[in-house]
Amino acid sequence: MLIVVTSGSKGGTGKSTVALGLSAILSLRGFSHELFDYSCSLGVCTGVYYYLNDFVDGINRLSRLVRVRQGLPPQGYEGLAIVDLPPMSLAQPEFVDLLGRADILVVVSSYEPDSVVSAERVLEAYPGGRVVRICNRMPTEDCKHYLKVTPESPFFVIGEPTNFRTFSELVSGLGFSGVERFERVGRQFVVGGVRAKIVTRWDPYAIIGIEVSGKWYYALMPFVRPIEDLVSMAHQMLGPTYLFKLGLADNALTRLLKAVRR
């Protein structure tokens, strides 16, 4: 059994983004796994289940590698699980029990000072020895991996080349090297007046390119719905004003393809 937990004591640090990024790279390398969203057990889903939303049924029906679940892995679970945790308290016995069962702990810290400090509390309850830290936007001395760009949509975060490379290095560091199994498509088309392309695909994900104001930008999304739906969703998240604020470079596709091959 192997459980990878994404955790941090503050909301909005990128825990769900990291969980989805781990899933994308693991599936790229052919590793079967399950994504668990523990927030669903506490009421309204706020983690990976929330972001995947309408994709969940398609992933669970069509993918041979990925399953999306609510709650926690059961006792005696055998397999590879990524557990996306909401902000938790060490007073919650379920949280402490899960940390006791986890083989690897991925601690996600935000660039906000109070969140960086709170991550230490998570480490206090983890009895294992395999801890990996990933930082949101601001690298620190004890943080080997960090997300350089963190817009609101996890799909765009993962599709950004620098972050894709970060997730790839993170998964390799966890010991899941494997062989990358992807199909380079490179097919362009127009959907509702929007120029788009499928760059690469693998079970169950695809990198979708959208042209905005004469430039191409990319999102990694589950390819389990009609391409028209994916293009519409990507186009909504990649508005020109939003991208301008991020200051993204023009050569994103070249960097992304290099990251996929690494």
Side-chain angles (χ1 to χ4, degrees):
M1 174 185 71
L2 184 63
I3 299 177
V4 177
V5 178
T6 60
S7 185
S9 297
K10 184 178 185 299
T13 61
K15 295 185 295 294
S16 299
T17 297
V18 170
L20 288 169
L22 290 172
S23 174
I25 303 301
L26 285 171
S27 63
L28 173 64
R29 298 179 181 179
F31 289 98
S32 298
H33 60 280
E34 295 187 84
L35 274 167
F36 287 86
D37 186 346
Y38 181 59
S39 69
C40 299
S41 301
L42 307 177
V44 180
C45 299
T46 59
V48 292
Y49 213 91
Y50 167 78
Y51 289 110
L52 289 172
N53 197 3
D54 294 338
F55 292 112
V56 170
D57 289 342
I59 292 173
N60 289 340
R61 185 176 69 256
L62 300 175
S63 177
R64 296 171 298 168
L65 297 175
V66 182
R67 292 290 181 273
V68 186
R69 311 292 191 199
Q70 298 186 18
L72 295 176
Q75 293 288 342
Y77 176 86
E78 295 183 359
L80 173 58
I82 300 170
V83 184
D84 182 18
L85 291 169
M88 303 290 287
S89 166
L90 296 182
Q92 295 172 276
E94 300 89 349
F95 181 35
V96 176
D97 172 70
L98 177 65
L99 291 178
R101 293 195 285 142
D103 297 281
I104 302 172
L105 177 63
V106 181
V107 181
V108 186
S109 300
S110 170
Y111 55 92
E112 300 174 23
D114 60 333
S115 180
V116 174
V117 173
S118 66
E120 303 301 328
R121 295 284 294 160
V122 179
L123 296 175
E124 293 177 7
Y126 177 58
R130 299 191 66 186
V131 177
V132 178
R133 301 191 65 157
I134 183 168
C135 296
N136 185 342
R137 291 186 60 183
M138 184 68 69
T140 61
E141 185 176 339
D142 58 350
C143 230
K144 182 178 180 180
H145 310 282
Y146 77 101
L147 303 179
K148 184 177 180 180
V149 177
T150 54
E152 296 174 2
S153 170
F155 298 118
F156 184 38
V157 170
I158 301 167
E160 206 284 327
T162 301
N163 290 333
F164 192 95
R165 184 167 58 251
T166 292
F167 289 124
S168 182
E169 293 172 350
L170 174 59
V171 171
S172 295
L174 295 176
F176 301 98
S177 53
V179 178
E180 295 176 347
R181 309 172 182 177
F182 66 93
E183 173 191 0
R184 182 168 180 173
V185 182
R187 179 166 59 90
Q188 294 192 27
F189 45 86
V190 177
V191 175
V194 178
R195 290 186 65 197
K197 66 176 73 170
I198 303 175
V199 181
T200 59
R201 61 177 298 179
W202 61 87
D203 179 6
Y205 299 101
I207 295 175
I208 307 296
I210 302 293
E211 186 183 47
V212 180
S213 301
K215 298 180 181 179
W216 288 92
Y217 300 97
Y218 302 89
L220 188 145
M221 307 169 72
F223 197 14
V224 295
R225 299 186 63 187
I227 187 62
E228 291 82 4
D229 293 352
L230 300 183
V231 170
S232 176
M233 182 177 178
H235 188 250
Q236 290 177 12
M237 75 173 77
L238 300 178
T241 302
Y242 191 44
L243 291 171
F244 178 77
K245 291 179 180 179
L246 294 173
L248 296 181
D250 297 345
N251 62 340
L253 178 57
T254 300
R255 292 185 292 125
L256 183 56
L257 288 174
K258 288 182 178 178
V260 169
R261 294 193 189 102
R262 285 175 66 99

